[in-house]
Amino acid sequence: MLKHRKLLWQLPLLVLLVVGTVVILRQHNGSDKPYRYFEGFVFGTVFHVSYQSDQVLDSVITVGLNRVDATLSMFNPQSTLSRVNENKPVERDTMFAEVVALALQVAADTDGAFDPTVAPLVNLWGFGYKRGQTPTPEAIDSIRRYVGYEKVGLTADGRLRKTDAQVSMDLSAIAKGYGCDVVAGILRQHGVKNFMVEIGGEIVASGQSARRQPWRIGVTKPNDDPDSDEGEVQHILNMTDCAVATSGNYRNFYIRDGKKYAHTIDPATGRPVRHSLLSATVIADCCAKADAYSTAFMVMGIDKAKQVLSRHPELRAYFILSTPHGELTTWQSDGL
């Protein structure tokens, strides 16, 4: 009887303690807000957004992505980029100027390893819109005359200037990352703290996942089968409040006369790179920067990439390399 009375006296206190703990946890984690998932198609690839909010923000995300597509897409014939490449008049576009300015900044910092004018060479070698035979040295030299980041620049009012009308730009190696940054900015403007944005493998992550843990991002293990849709995970990155982008040479390639030709073209030579670096993952404060530097590192190779990283403590990297015997090895920045 005494034990029963004691239990009755303790029960209200226990209930109050449990309810109070739940309220505190909800206030701290925002756990009363659901995680929402949104996916679609942009820039010729798929995007995924996971975010915690009591608002459905899919429509404003779509508006933001459509704005980026209307500015930077190579697949949209009416985009600012497409019209610039066709030397058509365009209205002043602050987003276009911002992306071009960053692209030229990374190009200068990497001695042209990242080059937004390299697309004609990529197409010549059989990637992009064209596929064909191995190009001749004469064909390569004829295209190289119109390739080089120094051949473009921005005027005082943010418009693109070219040294030759035949120079064209491809911002694909920075557009997906920039699109991630745009969506991340929209989510933050609406008070969202926990989210992950992914466009074609480029990612911005903030806060926690629905599991109340950092976002887990897999780095794919190189696979020589370009037709394979499945990839074994080489490494897991636990991410929060940062952006990550990966470039690789191990899927987009073709073999001719027993030689493997990768999709990464060195603007300096006009030919595909052939070195041990198979995959470059870069972590940065913004995804556009991570996207551009991961592409540059694939052109430069690991030794020159390390030199760039030594100048940029704000960048971290995870590299997958092939040994002379065909085995895989890795290298990562300190503190990764």
Side-chain angles (χ1 to χ4, degrees):
M1 185 67 175
L2 184 61
K3 289 183 178 180
H4 182 66
R5 287 179 178 176
K6 187 176 181 179
L7 181 60
L8 289 176
W9 177 82
Q10 290 177 337
L11 188 58
L13 183 61
L14 180 61
V15 171
L16 181 62
L17 179 63
V18 171
V19 172
T21 301
V22 170
V23 170
I24 291 172
L25 286 174
R26 284 189 171 186
Q27 288 177 343
H28 180 68
N29 294 327
S31 57
D32 56 324
K33 299 178 182 179
Y35 273 79
R36 304 181 186 278
Y37 304 92
F38 179 43
E39 63 181 35
F41 197 74
V42 70
F43 311 146
T45 189
V46 178
F47 72 84
H48 301 87
V49 183
S50 174
Y51 63 98
Q52 185 188 29
S53 176
D54 53 8
Q55 305 177 68
V56 178
L57 301 173
D58 299 0
S59 60
V60 293
I61 291 172
T62 300
V63 169
L65 288 175
N66 287 342
R67 172 78 175 89
V68 180
D69 182 85
T71 300
L72 305 176
S73 177
M74 290 281 289
F75 302 95
N76 182 349
Q78 298 303 317
S79 72
T80 300
L81 178 62
S82 295
R83 294 181 65 84
V84 164
N85 284 341
E86 295 175 4
N87 300 302
K88 295 180 178 178
V90 295
E91 296 182 3
R92 186 173 181 272
D93 190 324
T94 55
M95 179 181 287
F96 182 76
E98 180 182 358
V99 175
V100 170
L102 178 58
L104 295 180
Q105 176 185 327
V106 176
D109 187 49
T110 59
D111 294 326
F114 178 82
D115 192 327
T117 69
V118 76
L121 283 172
V122 175
N123 292 335
L124 181 66
W125 277 90
F127 303 102
Y129 303 119
K130 300 178 182 178
R131 293 188 176 276
Q133 298 180 348
T134 302
T136 64
E138 293 77 17
I140 295 172
D141 290 340
S142 67
I143 294 294
R144 284 183 62 197
R145 289 183 296 172
Y146 309 113
V147 172
Y149 74 94
E150 307 95 337
K151 294 178 170 59
V152 295
L154 291 171
T155 63
D157 63 349
R159 299 179 188 274
L160 189 77
R161 56 173 175 78
K162 306 179 185 180
T163 60
D164 192 297
Q166 295 193 58
V167 174
S168 62
M169 298 187 68
D170 182 354
L171 298 170
S172 300
I174 196 172
K176 293 192 298 294
Y178 184 81
C180 289
D181 292 330
V182 168
V183 175
I186 291 172
L187 293 173
R188 292 188 180 107
Q189 288 172 5
H190 285 80
V192 180
K193 297 180 179 179
N194 298 318
F195 62 82
M196 184 180 73
V197 182
E198 181 263 329
I199 302 177
E202 322 305 3
I203 295 169
V204 175
S206 175
Q208 299 178 332
S209 69
R211 297 181 177 181
R212 304 298 169 201
Q213 298 175 345
W215 298 93
R216 292 168 59 82
I217 310 300
V219 179
T220 304
K221 184 176 182 178
N223 179 357
D224 265 356
D225 182 4
D227 298 321
S228 174
D229 292 328
E230 298 181 0
E232 181 181 349
V233 174
Q234 172 78 23
H235 187 73
I236 296 290
L237 299 173
N238 292 313
M239 290 180 53
T240 186
D241 303 328
C242 60
V244 61
T246 299
S247 294
N249 263 346
Y250 47 89
R251 289 210 176 192
N252 196 358
F253 64 85
Y254 65 84
I255 297 175
R256 190 180 300 281
D257 299 328
K259 295 182 180 181
K260 181 189 292 185
Y261 294 94
H263 81 291
T264 301
I265 304 297
D266 185 348
T269 64
R271 292 167 171 78
V273 298
R274 302 192 69 184
H275 51 56
S276 62
L277 186 57
L278 299 178
S279 170
T281 297
V282 175
I283 299 174
D285 56 351
C286 76
C287 203
K289 185 184 295 184
D291 203 357
Y293 274 102
S294 65
T295 300
F297 292 163
M298 287 307 305
V299 173
M300 304 171 83
I302 187 167
D303 293 333
K304 291 182 178 179
K306 287 180 179 180
Q307 294 176 16
V308 174
L309 288 168
S310 68
R311 303 196 305 267
H312 291 279
E314 78 280 8
L315 300 178
R316 289 168 291 167
Y318 179 83
F319 296 147
I320 303 176
L321 305 98
S322 175
T323 69
H325 303 292
E327 300 172 343
L328 297 183
T329 185
T330 63
W331 180 91
Q332 65 186 50
S333 301
D334 293 338
L336 182 61

